Amino acid sequence: MKNNYSLFSLIKNAFSYHENWEKAWKDPEPKKEYDTVIIGGGGHGLATAYYLAKKHNMKNIAVVEKGWIGGGNTGRNTTIIRSNYLWDASAGLYDHALKIWENLSQELNYNVMFSQRGVMNLAHNLQDVRDLKRRTHANRLNGIDAVYLDTEQVKKFCPIINTSPNIRYPVLGGTLQKRAGTARHDAVAWGYARGADQMGVDIIQNCEVKGIKRNGDIVEGIETTKGFIKTKKIGVVAAGHSSVIANMAGLKLPLESKPLQALVSEPVKPIIDTVVMSNAVHAYVSQSDKGELVIGAGTDDYVSYSQKGSHDIVEGTLNAILELYPIFSRMRMLRQWGGIVDICPDASPIISKTTIKGLYFNCGWGTGGFKATPGSGDLFAHTIANDEPHKLNAAFNINRFVSGDLVDEHGAAAVAH
Amino acid sequence: MFLINCPFCGEREQSEFKAGGEAHIVRPKQPTELSDDEWAEYLFMRKNIKGIQFERWNHVHGCRKWFNIVRDTSNDQIKAVYKMGEKPPVKQND
């Protein structure tokens, strides 16, 4: 690597007041033709390009992004990473990602600030207890670390939780995945962009796709705001806008795009050193390295591309947070924002070929795509390079909505939708 | 968050309503005759339009009646409201 980040490079650049750092990626104009074009410069898209170049030896790749890289859901999520999903297919998929996360900073030579601080999921009623115990057992059969905690153990792990039996939805127990945690979302996009750029991938920002050109059932290229780009393979990783791109190719997807909100508080001293999620009352919270509480709210129930959510959703989430953590009653919220998430009927993603040759979709991650970023990129790159799915994403094909072989993960998805 | 003009109750906050998804998806007349592809199309495939979308809503915390609205999903502006069984007052593209 020509500009490896190290202690030496840090000292060297300190002498020039950090004004001469090399650009982490170039800003090229598109060439006339590429072997593969990835639509969407978020974490998943950049990771796909990175693994195409690194593991499948493809050299002539472009990532086209209508805004700036990492400016969509990659920069809008609550950065939680875990793999405690119920079904074997999902466990394989998400734990594949988690294993890559564990060495990602070293691999990319870029600090993604992956912090394995644990993720705790709370149970508030008997059905929650049964479901979470079942999920713990399923996780352990799949080699995923998971333990079930009773109320006292929950209190011990996170002392600020109100475990009084007298609250509206008392805490009856919870699960804990210790290998789970958080990472810095921007760094993931930037690290993959830098890595891909060093291997010759063109990252083209401010370039919106306007159409997909096909000859019968074979793709020929894309129309963009920077002109026509010829290509034989197109990987679409457009999250909330997947249906819009699919429509350009004359395809329909089983997706609905809905606003999902998050918010952060003013920064405070360290108070919560883990991630706590509660499906039943819909509250999840962690603390960023800056000290802000990072709070995820639910999705609105209507289709919208407005990147705004409803106030009543935020109010509901904050009500639940206040009951679980009375200590936060005087915290002030600093910022609130929305992202558009593409939700599949079974709350599982699609990483798949389509009926059109050379057109591949990686979508439907819904409310939980960030955690899968490295695994998703790796498996999608495999699918594009070989024109065949990897065994870990074979179950996540688009045809499951015809065959009925769904991967229902509404219970493990954590965000109500 | 936006206001919805319920055809039975008048203008209320969106939080009083439940979105029922894409409108005018016709229930198959002969379910036993349907192929797997046709079932997938009916059950799962959605237009998920960015722009003018026709959809069903239910006034769950009001009159509990179903009706249709035409909404621009790129900015949540409502273009028209009409009752179940009525013809859409705006033309549907495609």
Side-chain angles (χ1 to χ4, degrees):
Chain A
M1 249 180 243
K2 60 180 196 281
N3 54 350
N4 208 28
Y5 293 153
S6 63
L7 182 62
F8 175 73
S9 72
L10 189 66
I11 294 167
K12 192 181 121 197
N13 279 281
F15 285 112
S16 52
Y17 303 97
H18 298 291
E19 285 173 357
N20 296 322
W21 283 98
E22 246 181 275
K23 278 196 175 168
W25 57 88
K26 298 176 283 292
D27 202 11
E29 285 301 304
K31 289 190 265 183
K32 289 216 161 51
E33 185 176 351
Y34 290 95
D35 294 340
T36 301
V37 173
I38 303 297
I39 301 175
H44 290 241
L46 294 163
T48 305
Y50 174 83
Y51 291 114
L52 276 174
K54 190 177 175 196
K55 291 174 83 169
H56 303 283
N57 254 333
M58 293 180 74
K59 291 288 164 244
N60 195 22
I61 306 168
V63 177
V64 294
E65 163 58 46
K66 77 172 167 184
W68 61 94
I69 59 166
N73 293 349
T74 300
R76 292 163 192 269
N77 63 80
T78 49
T79 77
I80 296 164
I81 294 161
R82 60 186 173 89
S83 64
N84 54 353
Y85 281 71
L86 177 65
W87 300 107
D88 295 353
S90 319
L93 178 69
Y94 290 103
D95 211 50
H96 177 61
L98 184 49
K99 283 176 189 144
I100 304 178
W101 277 113
E102 288 176 327
N103 286 308
L104 193 61
S105 293
Q106 286 76 14
E107 185 186 338
L108 294 176
N109 177 233
Y110 203 103
N111 188 3
V112 298
M113 298 165 78
F114 181 48
S115 156
Q116 290 177 298
R117 59 184 68 182
V119 169
M120 192 158 66
N121 289 81
L122 299 180
H124 297 276
N125 52 54
L126 277 178
Q127 191 58 46
D128 278 358
V129 171
R130 291 186 196 112
D131 287 347
L132 288 182
K133 280 186 176 167
R134 179 190 176 196
R135 186 132 67 85
T136 307
H137 294 314
N139 288 160
R140 293 169 76 162
L141 285 171
N142 278 314
I144 293 167
D145 65 312
V147 282
Y148 188 82
L149 308 177
D150 62 22
T151 311
E152 253 174 57
Q153 290 166 315
V154 167
K155 182 79 178 173
K156 202 173 165 208
F157 189 68
C158 184
I160 58 169
I161 293 182
N162 180 8
T163 50
S164 156
N166 299 323
I167 61 176
R168 178 70 180 85
Y169 299 101
V171 177
L172 301 184
T175 63
L176 175 63
Q177 184 181 16
K178 281 203 168 172
R179 281 162 66 230
T182 60
R184 169 115 171 88
H185 46 11
D186 296 326
V188 178
W190 298 337
Y192 273 121
R194 176 167 165 268
D197 182 88
Q198 280 176 346
M199 290 183 287
V201 173
D202 278 358
I203 296 164
I204 303 155
Q205 303 184 74
N206 298 309
C207 179
E208 187 176 350
V209 174
K210 291 291 190 189
I212 289 177
K213 198 175 165 209
R214 342 171 352 190
N215 178 9
D217 278 342
I218 304 167
V219 296
E220 291 199 318
I222 54 170
E223 295 288 351
T224 75
T225 47
K226 292 191 175 181
F228 180 72
I229 301 173
K230 200 176 158 193
T231 185
K232 288 194 187 74
K233 289 188 172 184
I234 301 170
V236 183
V237 203
H241 281 70
S242 299
S243 296
V244 177
I245 305 282
N247 193 29
M248 292 174 187
L251 285 180
K252 226 166 151 186
L253 296 172
L255 297 176
E256 285 194 306
S257 296
K258 297 176 176 182
L260 175 64
Q261 295 176 80
L263 55 161
V264 295
S265 72
E266 60 190 339
V268 291
K269 287 189 175 174
I271 181 72
I272 179 164
D273 62 357
T274 184
V275 182
V276 186
M277 318 178 76
S278 164
N279 292 19
V281 298
H282 210 289
Y284 61 96
V285 63
S286 60
Q287 192 172 16
S288 74
D289 293 336
K290 276 187 284 182
E292 302 153 326
L293 296 180
V294 183
I295 295 167
T299 56
D300 282 296
D301 68 345
Y302 50 86
V303 169
S304 178
Y305 289 83
S306 65
Q307 290 191 330
K308 287 181 287 192
S310 304
H311 299 300
D312 54 307
I313 301 279
V314 170
E315 196 179 342
T317 289
L318 290 178
N319 280 341
I321 296 252
L322 284 192
E323 185 165 82
L324 277 178
Y325 310 92
I327 192 176
F328 294 150
S329 65
R330 278 171 293 163
M331 290 285 280
R332 281 165 295 191
M333 292 300 135
L334 205 62
R335 297 191 307 278
Q336 170 272 352
W337 63 91
I340 302 304
V341 297
D342 44 330
I343 299 173
C344 266
D346 59 356
S348 283
I350 295 167
I351 312 173
S352 180
K353 295 161 70 171
T354 63
T355 48
I356 299 167
K357 191 167 166 42
L359 186 64
Y360 306 86
F361 270 88
N362 182 353
C363 59
W365 288 98
T367 57
F370 177 74
K371 66 173 80 68
T373 304
S376 156
D378 184 31
L379 299 172
F380 195 42
H382 180 100
T383 307
I384 293 173
N386 300 303
D387 198 35
E388 277 300 321
H390 187 279
K391 68 177 191 317
L392 286 175
N393 68 305
F396 299 96
N397 63 68
I398 204 163
N399 203 47
R400 71 179 189 266
F401 298 97
V402 177
S403 68
D405 196 7
L406 303 180
V407 189
D408 184 3
E409 286 290 0
H410 279 282
V415 175
H417 44 53
Chain B
M1 187 126 150
F2 42 87
L3 298 172
I4 295 176
N5 194 7
C6 171
F8 308 98
C9 311
E11 202 164 66
R12 302 290 176 86
E13 284 183 12
Q14 170 263 320
S15 56
E16 286 190 16
F17 299 82
K18 171 88 185 142
E22 191 180 317
H24 308 299
I25 297 174
V26 182
R27 193 178 168 77
K29 288 215 172 70
Q30 299 278 352
T32 50
E33 306 288 306
L34 247 50
S35 68
D36 287 352
D37 281 310
E38 287 166 325
W39 270 121
E41 180 71 21
Y42 169 69
L43 285 173
F44 298 127
M45 300 302 163
R46 294 294 176 262
K47 288 181 187 157
N48 196 22
I49 291 167
K50 183 181 188 178
I52 303 295
Q53 167 156 295
F54 292 68
E55 50 196 22
R56 301 176 303 165
W57 285 75
N58 185 358
H59 195 180
V60 278
H61 299 298
C63 62
R64 302 189 66 193
K65 282 183 181 145
W66 285 91
F67 58 94
N68 295 312
I69 72 175
V70 185
R71 186 169 57 93
D72 187 339
T73 59
S74 62
N75 57 18
D76 293 335
Q77 272 184 16
I78 294 172
K79 304 292 181 192
V81 178
Y82 57 104
K83 290 181 185 169
M84 282 291 169
E86 285 180 2
K87 280 238 157 81
V90 189
K91 217 181 142 226
Q92 204 166 0
N93 294 331
D94 78 15

